[in-house]
Amino acid sequence: MATTIAEFFLRRWASENIPGAKVEIEGRAAKLTDKNGDTLCIAYDSEAKSIVCLSTCNMDNM
């Protein structure tokens, strides 16, 4: 169960777009890992109220 709005939308986006991916959440960012080991980093943009893809997985700055 999500504890924040950001976590809710990150998990929902991941399940709708990359089913079965492992989701690691840190604040407003998430690192998704698929069954091949490929990764994608996404973040919740609270101003735009949308999910954005990040060019790097530096979740320390989120």
Side-chain angles (χ1 to χ4, degrees):
M1 175 168 244
T3 59
T4 66
I5 292 170
E7 181 180 353
F8 171 79
F9 283 110
L10 290 165
R11 289 191 186 281
R12 187 173 90 176
W13 188 96
S15 69
E16 290 175 355
N17 292 281
I18 310 173
K22 177 182 173 188
V23 180
E24 299 174 67
I25 295 183
E26 177 88 22
R28 292 188 177 115
K31 180 178 178 182
L32 312 178
T33 306
D34 68 12
K35 65 181 179 179
N36 295 328
D38 296 324
T39 60
L40 174 69
C41 292
I42 59 175
Y44 176 70
D45 181 339
S46 58
E47 288 184 21
K49 295 183 180 15
S50 64
I51 300 293
V52 295
C53 290
L54 303 175
S55 59
T56 61
C57 290
N58 183 2
M59 297 194 299
D60 293 332
N61 296 329
M62 299 313 296

